[in-house]
Structure formats: structure tokens, C-alpha cells
Amino acid sequence: MKNNVKIARVQVNLTQQQLAEKIGVTRQTISLIEKGKYNPTLKLCLDICYTVNKTLDEIFWIEKGSDESEKD
Amino acid sequence: MKNNVKIARVQVNLTQQQLAEKIGVTRQTISLIEKGKYNPTLKLCLDICYTVNKTLDEIFWIEKGSDESEKD
DNA sequence: TAACATTGTAACATATACATTACATTTTTC
DNA sequence: GAAAAATGTAATGTATATGTTACAATGTTA
């Protein structure tokens, strides 16, 4: 699950810890999402969007079939 | 978790069953998502988008604080 | 209205998102 | 280059998304 969370987070000058606190999740969850190792829920995706001022399409859209990340 | 899955699904002339089969989930999952009773994962949101030819923003975006649905 | 297709939903099981704690590794700053 | 901050990640536990099966309710069509 590739995404642009890290880019967007850095753009608004937040650490993983700060983003996590604003959203109400743990830093580990943010870390794993940024590394593409989690398949986050819609609600969490939306909360991230609200906090970094982006839309779902800007941060989480990936073209069909272009997800190179592992299936595990 | 309000969304526009039902509208988009009907627009492309698919039943819940047909959409579910194309995506590889059960009909119940589609039903519960349409009724706003599930908080789907990003991967499933994307699969729905691909199948009904819409983007994440078109189907799943909701303005901050405008989610009237129940929490559980 | 009777058959049939579609949708809602309940009970129970399984997989996994996310929390908690802890520590290691990398990056920044002095 | 050492101290601190930021990030990666492992082990274990919990909550919940999703599967399975089954049946009821609603819509559609002859």
C-alpha cells in the first residue's frame, strides 16, 4: 500500500509523533502506514487527510494494478 | 461512515452480488459498507473505486466533522 | 399473487488493524 | 562525535473488518 503520507506530513511540519497525537493513534501506526506495511481503514485515512490538509486522492490514490508492495 | 457506493454501483448496473464477486469479497461486506455500518480498509475502497470507475474522493470523501453515522 | 431476484441482517469464526511496551537504528543539532 | 530527537520494528494483546452460513424482508416481473 504505497501512499504519500510522509511527504504530506513533512509539508505541514509534523513529526510522526505529532501527527499520531493529533489523530489519536500511536506513532507506530503512522510509521507502518508510511512504510506501506498497513492497509489502513478509511476513517484513519480521512483523519490523516484532515490533519495534513490533503484529499484522499492526493494521498492514497494508486492506479489499478500499480501497487508494488508486498501482499503479506 | 457515509459514502456513495450504492449510487456508483447502480450507475454501472451492478448488483451487490456482482460487485462483491468482481472485487472478491462477500455480498454482506458490500451491503454493510453501503449502509455505513463498516469502516472499510483502503484496499477495499480502492477495489470498489476501480470497479465502479470512480475515485476515492468521489465515493468516500466526507468533510471533517460531517459524519453523522454512529461510532460503533 | 406467486415466483424470483435483490437486499438486510443475525450468529459465529478468522484475519488483521491498531494499541502497548520496549529497544534498536537513523537523523539532527550542539 | 556525543547527546537528543526522530524513526524503524519486534512481541504480545485487543478490537474490529471480513468470511461463512442462513434466513427474513423487500423489490421486481410474469
Side-chain angles (χ1 to χ4, degrees):
Chain A
M1 302 300 300
K2 208 171 186 46
N3 60 63
N4 301 316
V5 172
K6 180 166 188 176
I7 293 170
R9 174 177 60 79
V10 170
Q11 279 176 1
V12 292
N13 243 48
L14 292 176
T15 66
Q16 290 181 347
Q17 178 74 35
Q18 291 168 333
L19 177 57
E21 280 172 3
K22 277 173 171 260
I23 294 175
V25 297
T26 61
R27 181 178 62 79
Q28 287 73 0
T29 297
I30 299 296
S31 178
L32 289 166
I33 289 170
E34 286 189 357
K35 301 293 284 186
K37 300 196 174 178
Y38 265 163
N39 174 18
T41 59
L42 176 57
K43 179 172 180 338
L44 178 49
C45 291
L46 285 166
D47 286 341
I48 291 173
C49 285
Y50 301 148
T51 306
V52 301
N53 297 311
K54 296 283 183 184
T55 69
L56 286 172
D57 286 349
E58 288 173 321
I59 299 195
F60 295 104
W61 182 261
I62 47 188
E63 293 296 329
K64 184 172 186 174
S66 68
D67 187 7
E68 317 279 328
S69 64
E70 45 273 70
K71 312 288 180 186
D72 68 280
Chain B
M1 302 299 301
K2 207 169 185 48
N3 60 65
N4 301 316
V5 172
K6 180 166 187 175
I7 293 171
R9 173 177 59 80
V10 170
Q11 279 176 1
V12 294
N13 243 49
L14 292 176
T15 67
Q16 290 181 346
Q17 177 75 34
Q18 291 169 332
L19 176 57
E21 281 172 3
K22 277 174 171 259
I23 295 175
V25 297
T26 60
R27 182 178 63 78
Q28 287 73 359
T29 296
I30 300 296
S31 178
L32 289 167
I33 289 171
E34 287 189 357
K35 302 292 284 187
K37 301 196 174 179
Y38 265 163
N39 175 18
T41 59
L42 176 58
K43 179 173 180 339
L44 178 49
C45 290
L46 285 166
D47 285 342
I48 291 173
C49 286
Y50 301 149
T51 306
V52 301
N53 297 312
K54 297 283 183 184
T55 69
L56 286 172
D57 286 349
E58 288 173 321
I59 299 195
F60 295 105
W61 182 261
I62 47 188
E63 292 296 329
K64 184 172 186 175
S66 69
D67 187 5
E68 317 279 327
S69 64
E70 28 308 34
K71 313 288 178 186
D72 59 291

